[in-house]
Structure formats: structure tokens, C-alpha cells
Amino acid sequence: MVWKRIQIIDLFCGTGGFSSGFMKSDSRCDVVAAIDINNVSAQTMKANHPECLVYNEDIRKVRPERVEADLAAADKSIDVVIGGPPCQGFSSIRPFRGSGKDDDRNTLFEQFALYVNYFRPKVFIFENVVGLVSHNKGQTLKAIQECFTDIGYETDWRILNAANYGVPQKRERFIMIGVPKGGSIVFPEPTHYFSGKTIGVGNKKKMILANDDGLPPALTVMDAIGDLPPVSSGEECTVYKNPPQNEYQAERRKGSKILTLHKATNHPEYMLNIIRHAGSNIYALPEGLVTSGFSSCYSRLSADEPSVTITVKFTNPASSKCIHPIQDRALTPREGARIQSFDDTYIFCGTKTQITEQIGNAVPPLLGKAIADKILPAVFGGKD
């Protein structure tokens, strides 16, 4: 039997981590279009999704009508809209007036809403930072939900921690799901237990929390990267020297013949001296070794816990908590990609700095998969 394809557009797609999760979840999924203003991110998206129409432009200049026409020429359409608009412009969100498809909106969120309004998907998934919940004392989130109500969609949202869904990282994200009025909204139940500190929000009912009743513990940093060969500052390794130590590593390595992106930053001697003394936070350093920095700077990741949230500076200890749990260096890009749950076969374009930024900005594919695992069957039914 030939199943109907589930066709997705990924707005503000970045590397395509979010849509890759949907592809992992359901073999019916096709990412048919994607938009991102960043050139190397668009290249990465295209490299991993070669059949996808990738628009490397400002979304405000890519009219939905143009995308519709391009897709129609390839006999494709849109069933699902996903994406995470950057926060710029949230303060100036205006209500939609009517459902005019040619409404020209000048904020990035409103472009997301404009695409939803134009294509009328069966479901949309809007992801963002946790801080959106409290932005402008909650008025921004209220305006966003009212915007979707005005165009005929019901919405609900939760705060999800990636560590509860098989990602070795304590990365919290705001996830809003929208469906046409009368539709079903469901969120994924945790698959892993993690009891550490989180940012969260005041309304605990909006946080999906896990208990340890029968769930396996969250994956740790070393669960993610423990099979990768040791490298010293400035060194690179392109060969896997050890077999996978667990299922997570085996899944990430599937189909990968050559180890890529496993090159350590070449730290100067003064930084190596700091790294050798590094502990769980900046205060673990001997007095006077550094003169400034946030508490999380110049510090090691814990081997037996999920990582803190990976940032765009995860190869620079002066900017984030990113020192290897055991080795005297910052994480390599490959280790950062592992912690973000990217497969080793995933292609990243650009310079090392650009690749690091792409990895740090990405939605973990396995978090996307967890969301898709729950919402796609509810909206489109199962494959059986």
C-alpha cells in the first residue's frame, strides 16, 4: 500500500534539525520547503535534504504564493508548518484582522503566522525559548495565541526538556502546537527521567515533568561521546578507534565510515592552564587565575549527567561550560553534535566557527522526533 505523504515546510529552518526529527519519526514525512536567511545554514539544510526547496532569503521577501507555485510545479503541497521564529519583533505583534492572504507583516513571528494562515496546515509546531512565556509579563504569549485563534486555530503549549526525550542535554524549549478548531493537540510523554535543576516556568502544569517510575535515567555526556577517540588541544582524529558502547552511540554512528568534525580547539598555554584546574564552575579555579566571567565559564561538563544547554560558543571555555569531562580541552564540534543528537552522517557546511554556531542554535533532532511521534499519529493516523 502507498501511504499519503506528509509534506512539511520548515520556517527559520537553520540546519534542519527539527525537520530531521520528523523524518526520523515517520517514513511518510517529506520536508518539501524550507526558509532561512543564513547562507551556511541554508547550505546545510540543502545538503541533508537535497529534494527540499530551500529559500536562502529573508522570509519577509518570500511570499507564500511563490512557495505555493514552486511546490505546485513539483506536485507538492503543505500539510505541516514547523519552525522557531527569532524573538525580534515579539513586542510589536499585532492582531490579525480577517484572513487576507496578502496581509504584509513585518515581524518574524507574524511571517510564521502568515504562512499558517495561507497554507492552512493540519497542524503547526512553533518552538522557541522558554523566556517567551514571561516576555512582556505574559502579554506577548497571549497575543500570539490570540493571533492563531483569529485565523481559526486552537493552540496549547508546554515546556519540554530534551533530557526527558533521549537527548543527553538539559535543553528546555517552549513548544506550541496548533490545529484547526476541533482538532486534537497532544504532547509527548517523557521517555527518560531527569531530576536536576531546570529553568522552567511558574505554571508547573505547563511543564512536562518526568518521574523515575520505570523510566530509564537521562543519557549523560559520556553516554553520548564516550566512544570518540581522545584528542588533545589542536589535534584531530578521523577514525573510530573503539566500537559503540551503547545504543545511543550505535545509532549516531550508523552508516558513518569516517569520523568528521572531531578536531579540538588549539588552546593557548594560558587557557590550557585554566582548563587543567577547571571544575564544575568558575569558582572551582584557584583565586586569581581568571579575573572575570560568568559562573558557568571555564568549567567542565559533568561526565555522569546530561550536558548543560549547548551554546554557539561551545568550543570556547571563556564563553560557556564546555570543557570535556575528562580531557583538557573544550568539546569538539562532533562532540557538540552528539550532545545535540545529530547523527554522525549529518552534513554541516561552512567553517569550524560557522558549524559550531549551527550546532549550538539547532533544535535537537531527537526532540523533534519525540514531538512528531506523538502529534503525527493524532493528526494523520497510523500507518497500519
Side-chain angles (χ1 to χ4, degrees), residues 26-261:
D26 196 315
S27 60
R28 295 174 293 176
C29 286
D30 294 321
V31 183
V32 296
I35 303 173
D36 201 279
I37 195 171
N38 184 280
N39 181 48
V40 290
S41 293
Q43 290 176 35
T44 294
M45 181 72 187
K46 188 67 175 179
N48 292 283
H49 303 283
E51 301 302 316
C52 177
L53 293 174
V54 179
Y55 299 85
N56 176 210
E57 301 177 53
D58 185 332
I59 192 172
R60 290 168 290 197
K61 298 180 180 179
V62 185
R63 303 297 299 175
E65 297 91 339
R66 173 183 161 195
V67 176
E68 182 182 45
D70 291 344
L71 290 174
D75 195 27
K76 297 176 181 178
S77 57
I78 298 295
D79 302 305
V80 180
V81 175
I82 66 174
C87 300
Q88 299 95 307
F90 277 163
S91 296
S92 58
I93 292 171
R94 299 162 293 168
F96 263 72
R97 301 191 182 282
S99 58
K101 294 183 178 180
D102 60 349
D103 196 355
D104 185 15
R105 297 282 159 169
N106 63 11
T107 75
L108 298 177
F109 160 73
E110 287 166 335
Q111 292 300 315
F112 184 96
L114 185 66
Y115 269 77
V116 171
N117 191 39
Y118 187 89
F119 285 106
R120 314 302 299 177
K122 296 178 179 65
V123 62
F124 72 80
I125 300 92
F126 171 93
E127 67 86 22
N128 224 276
V129 296
V130 176
L132 175 59
V133 176
S134 58
H135 186 269
N136 193 23
K137 298 181 179 179
Q139 292 304 303
T140 299
L141 179 53
K142 181 180 178 183
I144 287 173
Q145 291 192 279
E146 287 177 350
C147 171
F148 288 126
T149 298
D150 289 346
I151 61 175
Y153 280 79
E154 295 180 355
T155 62
D156 200 0
W157 62 269
R158 296 289 187 275
I159 302 299
L160 275 60
N161 190 322
N164 292 139
Y165 299 97
V167 180
Q169 181 185 181
K170 297 172 280 191
R171 192 183 193 96
E172 289 182 300
R173 299 302 290 179
F174 168 92
I175 301 295
M176 177 183 287
I177 296 176
V179 294
K181 287 180 180 177
S184 176
I185 298 177
V186 289
F187 292 90
E189 294 298 323
T191 58
H192 293 72
Y193 171 66
F194 170 69
S195 60
K197 294 180 180 179
T198 58
I199 301 171
V201 293
N203 184 355
K204 301 304 179 185
K205 292 181 180 179
K206 290 295 188 178
M207 295 177 61
I208 297 182
L209 302 172
N211 58 53
D212 60 356
D213 185 19
L215 292 179
L219 295 170
T220 69
V221 171
M222 293 307 287
D223 285 338
I225 68 174
D227 64 313
L228 297 174
V231 290
S232 299
S233 171
E235 289 185 348
E236 180 178 14
C237 186
T238 59
V239 178
Y240 296 102
K241 297 182 178 180
N242 302 303
Q245 302 166 351
N246 54 43
E247 183 180 354
Y248 183 87
Q249 295 169 7
E251 283 296 313
R252 302 291 75 74
R253 285 170 59 162
K254 190 175 292 183
S256 180
K257 304 300 183 185
I258 300 174
L259 178 58
T260 62
L261 302 180

Side-chain angles (χ1 to χ4, degrees), residues 182-373:
S184 176
I185 298 177
V186 289
F187 292 90
E189 294 298 323
T191 58
H192 293 72
Y193 171 66
F194 170 69
S195 60
K197 294 180 180 179
T198 58
I199 301 171
V201 293
N203 184 355
K204 301 304 179 185
K205 292 181 180 179
K206 290 295 188 178
M207 295 177 61
I208 297 182
L209 302 172
N211 58 53
D212 60 356
D213 185 19
L215 292 179
L219 295 170
T220 69
V221 171
M222 293 307 287
D223 285 338
I225 68 174
D227 64 313
L228 297 174
V231 290
S232 299
S233 171
E235 289 185 348
E236 180 178 14
C237 186
T238 59
V239 178
Y240 296 102
K241 297 182 178 180
N242 302 303
Q245 302 166 351
N246 54 43
E247 183 180 354
Y248 183 87
Q249 295 169 7
E251 283 296 313
R252 302 291 75 74
R253 285 170 59 162
K254 190 175 292 183
S256 180
K257 304 300 183 185
I258 300 174
L259 178 58
T260 62
L261 302 180
H262 194 46
K263 182 176 182 178
T265 301
N266 189 15
H267 300 294
E269 184 55 39
Y270 82 89
M271 181 62 76
L272 285 172
N273 188 41
I274 294 171
I275 290 173
R276 292 185 194 106
H277 290 89
S280 61
N281 56 50
I282 196 172
Y283 307 112
L285 295 173
E287 187 174 353
L289 196 56
V290 297
T291 56
S292 63
F294 295 108
S295 63
S296 59
C297 297
Y298 305 109
S299 53
R300 288 187 188 273
L301 294 166
S302 298
D304 57 356
E305 290 185 8
S307 170
V308 297
T309 297
I310 290 292
T311 73
V312 298
K313 302 286 188 179
F314 70 81
T315 60
N316 181 6
S319 299
S320 66
K321 185 169 186 167
C322 63
I323 299 174
H324 191 281
I326 300 169
Q327 300 167 41
D328 289 334
R329 57 170 176 79
L331 295 174
T332 67
R334 171 55 55 211
E335 289 166 336
R338 281 282 189 91
I339 290 170
Q340 279 277 59
S341 76
F342 280 100
D343 293 344
D344 290 4
T345 54
Y346 207 84
I347 301 167
F348 291 95
C349 301
T351 65
K352 179 182 177 183
T353 297
Q354 291 170 329
I355 289 170
T356 300
E357 291 177 350
Q358 290 175 72
I359 293 170
N361 277 326
V363 177
L366 290 189
L367 180 59
K369 179 180 182 298
I371 296 166
D373 282 348

